Each structure stands twice: as structure tokens, then as C-alpha cells.
Amino acid sequence: MATLQTAPLLLPTFALLPPAHFALTTKLFYIFIDLLCAHALMQIADSGQSGSSRLFTSARKDIRWDGIAIGAAQVEATKPPHSSWKFAVLQTVFFAAGVGWLLYMSYVLTGGSWEFLSSTYGVQLLLPDLTPNVGLWWYFFIEMFDPFREFFLGVFWLHLAGYVGGLCIRLRNQPLFIVTTMLGLFAIFKPYPTISDTCLYFAMLPLYRHVFPLMRYTFFAMSAILYATLLGPAFYHLWIYAGSGNANFFYAITLVWSLGLVLLLADSLFAVLRDEWEVERPEMKGKDIRQI
């Protein structure tokens, strides 16, 4: 019996797809989903929230790509209520209610069983599958002694969760950039990352076109990512199929991949903080800064 690693509520949706001999229809369905996501991204781009939000306006907000270049369609940005606490409480209640309803529907679809929780969310939390991927977890836990497994599981999850508080406090005026940065962190540090996680981060990053001139290590970051993109499949083939390599081959190239993403993530974070600093101190615009 196959392991269920997808929310049960999605299974009826994918069950509606036609059989394999209607491959064209299935491809058209996925194209429609991609276009729908692109349309949502274009709405975010045209709203201008990345350069001018309710709490912060960048001096470079006019330097941006339009929605067609990123996604498509312009909509008016929805403004939250005047009370930030009221807005936060309402959104938390709506989110909790939505997740609760989805979990209940999954419970109904699985015949009144909660076993799907261990096969979906439990897989992410407990890491039972150590199949090699582009992430950083699998190699560590292959080499890990069993008595220390639970401890380091907690350490790895605390490391990932630790970014949330710091980003939300320091960048509280730019919530959209917090979401973008967290997507990048998930693409690097989640247990089972995929190329689609990185693609989602890359799709959100152009929203901050106005801070691109402030980034310093773009060339090195993109060079590392392209280097890993080209050599990653080759090293995997050498290890798994040709038998002329070992796990270190593939894990070394995934480290280069993660290094490129970390450089890009840190560089974008520096650029946004520098942009905020120049708004607070306009006389320092264009000048070099040094940490004392």
C-alpha cells in the first residue's frame, strides 16, 4: 500500500483528472492552474504592496516591473482595518476556522479516521523517509545515531521556526517581504524541499525590483545556483545509476545549491534593510556603510 503524503482533500480533485491516455487534457488542466497562480501573482505585483504598504513606503517604489512582466492584471489593494490587533485576531480566527474545516473534510473523506495526519503532516515533522533530495536534512539523519534522532529533529525544527519571530519583529512594516523571505527559507531548510519551492520564491522575488540595485552578491549567488543546477543531475546519475560515485557527490552539490539560495536570501534582506535605512536617513542615500 502506498504511503499517503498528500492531504486527503486533494485526492478527489486529482481523481477528476482523465486517464493517462488523455494526457493532453491533463496537461491543459495544469496549464490552467499555472495561469491562475500567475494571475494572482500579477495582482500582487500591480497592487504595489512591495514598494508601498500601509506602514512603509520605499523611496524607490517607482522602480518596479509591471504586472505583465511578473504575472498580470491590476487590482486595487485591500486595506486592513485601522486596528492592527483587530485585523490580526480576525485573520487568525479565519485561518484557524479554515484549517479546522479542511481537516474535518479530510476526516470525512477517509471514512472517519485521523490516520491521515501521521501520513501527511507527520511525515514532515518526523522525517521517516530519508530519500535523497535537494534539501539538507536527509544526509544528516542518515549519519545520525538513533538515540540522538529526536533531539536533532527538535533542533532542526527550532532553527527553522526561529526565523519567524525575528523577521516579523524587524520587518513588521513590510509583511509581504516577510512572506517572500519565509518562502526562501522553506526552500532551503524544510525537510523535503523541491525545485517548485525555489521556483515559488523566485516568482515572488521580482516584486522587489526596486531594491535590486542595492544587492551586492547577485552574480555569485546566481553562479552558484546555475553551477548546482547543471552538476546536480550529473552527480545524482553518477551515484545512483553509474555507481561510480557516492552520497558525498550529490550532497556536496546540494550544499552549493543551498549556499546560492542563502546568498540570494541574505542579499535581498540586506537590500530591503538598506532601503528602509535610507528612507529614515535620506542624507545617507548612495553612501557606503560599515559595521562598527
XYZ file of all heavy atoms in Angstrom, residues 59-100:
319
model
N 11.574 54.724 -0.978
C 11.933 55.844 -1.853
C 12.115 55.375 -3.290
O 12.110 56.194 -4.216
C 13.212 56.513 -1.344
N 12.277 54.078 -3.484
C 12.478 53.507 -4.818
C 11.238 52.778 -5.321
O 11.323 51.919 -6.195
C 13.660 52.535 -4.786
C 14.989 53.178 -4.456
C 16.089 52.123 -4.393
N 17.399 52.715 -4.242
C 17.910 53.109 -3.089
N 17.197 52.949 -1.975
N 19.112 53.637 -3.020
N 10.081 53.109 -4.803
C 8.870 52.354 -5.139
C 8.504 52.428 -6.616
O 7.790 51.568 -7.134
C 7.691 52.850 -4.303
C 7.347 54.317 -4.457
C 6.192 54.714 -3.552
C 5.902 56.198 -3.596
N 5.586 56.690 -4.947
N 8.985 53.458 -7.312
C 8.659 53.587 -8.729
C 9.521 52.697 -9.614
O 9.230 52.536 -10.800
C 8.821 55.048 -9.169
C 7.815 55.966 -8.470
O 6.704 55.490 -8.200
O 8.157 57.127 -8.202
N 10.595 52.130 -9.044
C 11.456 51.217 -9.808
C 10.888 49.814 -9.652
O 11.185 49.110 -8.686
C 12.912 51.268 -9.304
C 13.433 52.699 -9.295
C 13.797 50.386 -10.168
C 14.824 52.822 -8.715
N 10.077 49.389 -10.576
C 9.473 48.061 -10.472
C 9.028 47.586 -11.838
O 8.889 48.377 -12.772
C 8.274 48.084 -9.518
C 7.101 48.933 -9.970
C 6.041 49.026 -8.881
N 4.872 49.782 -9.308
C 3.759 49.233 -9.787
N 3.682 47.920 -9.890
N 2.747 49.972 -10.157
N 8.852 46.286 -11.949
C 8.271 45.702 -13.152
C 6.753 45.680 -13.006
O 6.217 45.467 -11.926
C 8.793 44.288 -13.360
C 10.229 44.255 -13.786
C 10.828 45.053 -14.701
C 11.239 43.375 -13.300
N 12.147 44.736 -14.828
C 12.440 43.702 -13.979
C 11.258 42.342 -12.362
C 13.625 43.037 -13.760
C 12.440 41.674 -12.138
C 13.613 42.016 -12.838
N 6.068 45.896 -14.119
C 4.609 45.881 -14.042
C 4.100 44.448 -13.943
O 4.861 43.490 -14.016
C 3.985 46.610 -15.235
C 4.405 46.008 -16.565
O 4.894 44.861 -16.553
O 4.252 46.674 -17.599
N 2.786 44.351 -13.775
C 2.196 43.037 -13.556
C 2.365 42.092 -14.727
O 2.485 40.892 -14.547
N 2.403 42.628 -15.956
C 2.531 41.763 -17.127
C 3.906 41.108 -17.134
O 4.043 39.950 -17.511
C 2.294 42.574 -18.420
C 0.856 43.077 -18.446
C 2.602 41.747 -19.652
C 0.512 43.910 -19.659
N 4.916 41.854 -16.692
C 6.258 41.293 -16.658
C 6.373 40.221 -15.586
O 7.155 39.294 -15.719
C 7.292 42.388 -16.398
N 5.632 40.329 -14.517
C 5.711 39.357 -13.425
C 4.570 38.369 -13.515
O 4.738 37.176 -13.356
C 5.682 40.077 -12.061
C 6.878 41.007 -11.938
C 5.699 39.062 -10.927
C 6.896 41.798 -10.652
N 3.386 38.840 -13.772
C 2.226 37.966 -13.762
C 1.078 38.489 -14.608
O 0.962 38.091 -15.705
N 0.167 39.364 -14.154
C -0.850 40.052 -14.995
C -2.028 40.577 -14.200
O -2.360 40.014 -13.215
C -1.367 39.125 -16.068
N -2.677 41.603 -14.688
C -3.913 42.144 -14.121
C -3.726 43.002 -12.892
O -3.042 42.623 -11.979
C -4.912 41.059 -13.808
N -4.345 44.159 -12.938
C -4.206 45.119 -11.836
C -5.489 45.160 -11.029
O -6.578 45.235 -11.565
C -3.909 46.518 -12.396
C -3.769 47.574 -11.324
C -3.382 48.921 -11.903
O -3.198 49.050 -13.099
N -3.278 49.917 -11.069
N -5.327 45.083 -9.686
C -6.473 45.202 -8.793
C -6.146 46.192 -7.708
O -4.974 46.453 -7.417
C -6.851 43.846 -8.138
C -7.345 42.852 -9.171
C -5.671 43.290 -7.376
N -7.161 46.735 -7.123
C -6.949 47.674 -6.029
C -6.599 46.919 -4.762
O -7.236 45.943 -4.397
C -8.214 48.496 -5.786
C -8.052 49.545 -4.705
C -9.317 50.341 -4.497
O -10.288 50.069 -5.210
O -9.326 51.211 -3.632
N -5.538 47.350 -4.090
C -5.094 46.687 -2.855
C -6.135 46.843 -1.767
O -6.693 47.918 -1.580
C -3.767 47.272 -2.385
N -6.397 45.758 -1.053
C -7.335 45.784 0.063
C -6.641 46.278 1.306
O -5.612 45.749 1.696
C -7.904 44.381 0.317
O -8.532 43.927 -0.877
C -8.893 44.401 1.456
N -7.170 47.274 1.955
C -6.558 47.834 3.150
C -7.130 47.168 4.395
O -8.328 46.935 4.495
C -6.816 49.343 3.227
C -6.163 50.123 2.087
C -6.387 51.601 2.255
C -5.709 52.392 1.139
N -5.918 53.839 1.296
N -6.266 46.832 5.354
C -6.750 46.222 6.594
C -7.450 47.250 7.464
O -7.346 48.459 7.230
C -5.455 45.734 7.261
C -4.397 46.619 6.711
C -4.812 46.989 5.331
N -8.169 46.812 8.484
C -8.825 47.751 9.383
C -7.813 48.646 10.088
O -6.622 48.354 10.134
C -9.531 46.826 10.390
C -9.605 45.499 9.727
C -8.454 45.414 8.820
N -8.303 49.747 10.663
C -7.411 50.689 11.337
C -6.741 50.035 12.534
O -5.612 50.345 12.860
C -8.202 51.926 11.771
C -8.703 52.731 10.600
N -7.851 53.397 9.749
C -9.960 52.948 10.137
C -8.564 54.032 8.813
N -9.842 53.768 9.030
N -7.407 49.142 13.205
C -6.837 48.479 14.369
C -6.036 47.258 13.924
O -6.587 46.300 13.389
C -7.943 48.055 15.343
O -7.390 47.280 16.382
N -4.713 47.296 14.140
C -3.864 46.170 13.741
C -4.188 44.933 14.547
O -4.168 43.808 14.026
C -2.388 46.553 13.916
O -2.062 47.653 13.099
N -4.490 45.108 15.850
C -4.807 43.966 16.690
C -6.106 43.302 16.243
O -6.201 42.073 16.206
C -4.916 44.396 18.148
C -3.594 44.651 18.782
C -3.029 45.850 19.098
C -2.620 43.666 19.160
N -1.785 45.683 19.645
C -1.511 44.348 19.709
C -2.586 42.273 19.098
C -0.377 43.693 20.176
C -1.459 41.609 19.560
C -0.379 42.311 20.093
N -7.086 44.117 15.900
C -8.351 43.558 15.432
C -8.151 42.785 14.133
O -8.695 41.693 13.949
C -9.366 44.681 15.225
C -10.732 44.209 14.747
C -11.687 45.375 14.581
C -13.038 44.898 14.069
N -13.979 46.025 13.858
N -7.349 43.354 13.247
C -7.061 42.685 11.977
C -6.358 41.344 12.218
O -6.700 40.320 11.625
C -6.196 43.594 11.107
C -5.753 42.975 9.820
C -6.632 42.816 8.763
C -4.444 42.540 9.657
C -6.231 42.240 7.575
C -4.026 41.963 8.475
C -4.922 41.824 7.429
N -5.367 41.350 13.126
C -4.611 40.122 13.409
C -5.499 39.050 14.017
O -5.423 37.864 13.642
C -3.439 40.438 14.339
N -6.368 39.452 14.956
C -7.255 38.488 15.605
C -8.240 37.896 14.601
O -8.466 36.672 14.564
C -8.000 39.153 16.777
C -9.092 38.235 17.302
C -7.027 39.504 17.894
N -8.815 38.761 13.750
C -9.772 38.278 12.760
C -9.122 37.304 11.786
O -9.689 36.239 11.477
C -10.379 39.461 11.999
C -11.420 40.300 12.752
C -11.844 41.499 11.906
C -12.637 39.453 13.103
N -7.923 37.649 11.311
C -7.246 36.768 10.361
C -6.869 35.437 11.007
O -6.932 34.381 10.375
C -5.998 37.460 9.807
C -6.293 38.691 8.967
C -7.195 38.375 7.791
O -6.992 37.407 7.061
N -8.221 39.199 7.598
N -6.472 35.490 12.285
C -6.128 34.251 12.991
C -7.352 33.358 13.144
O -7.280 32.128 12.952
C -5.537 34.572 14.376
O -4.383 35.407 14.222
C -5.140 33.303 15.104
N -8.478 33.966 13.490
C -9.720 33.189 13.638
C -10.136 32.585 12.303
O -10.493 31.391 12.225
C -10.836 34.083 14.202
C -12.185 33.367 14.133
C -10.527 34.478 15.641
N -10.068 33.378 11.223
C -10.448 32.866 9.907
C -9.514 31.730 9.473
O -9.958 30.718 8.918
C -10.416 33.988 8.866
C -11.517 34.992 9.038
C -11.340 36.314 8.664
C -12.739 34.625 9.587
C -12.352 37.245 8.826
C -13.762 35.540 9.750
C -13.570 36.855 9.367
N -8.226 31.906 9.751
C -7.255 30.871 9.373
C -7.515 29.580 10.146
O -7.540 28.492 9.571
C -5.838 31.378 9.643
C -4.769 30.356 9.408
C -4.378 30.041 8.114
C -4.165 29.693 10.469
C -3.390 29.079 7.880
C -3.185 28.738 10.250
C -2.798 28.430 8.949
N -7.714 29.704 11.460
C -7.965 28.520 12.285
C -9.256 27.824 11.864
O -9.325 26.582 11.794
C -8.024 28.907 13.760
N -10.288 28.621 11.575
C -11.554 28.028 11.142
C -11.397 27.320 9.801
O -11.937 26.220 9.596
C -12.628 29.115 11.046
N -10.654 27.924 8.885
C -10.438 27.307 7.577
C -9.669 25.998 7.683
O -10.042 24.988 7.060
N -8.588 25.999 8.485
C -7.806 24.774 8.657
C -8.643 23.696 9.344
O -8.608 22.516 8.954
C -6.530 25.070 9.474
C -5.828 23.781 9.860
C -5.585 25.955 8.683
N -9.431 24.087 10.353
C -10.277 23.125 11.035
C -11.306 22.500 10.106
O -11.538 21.280 10.150
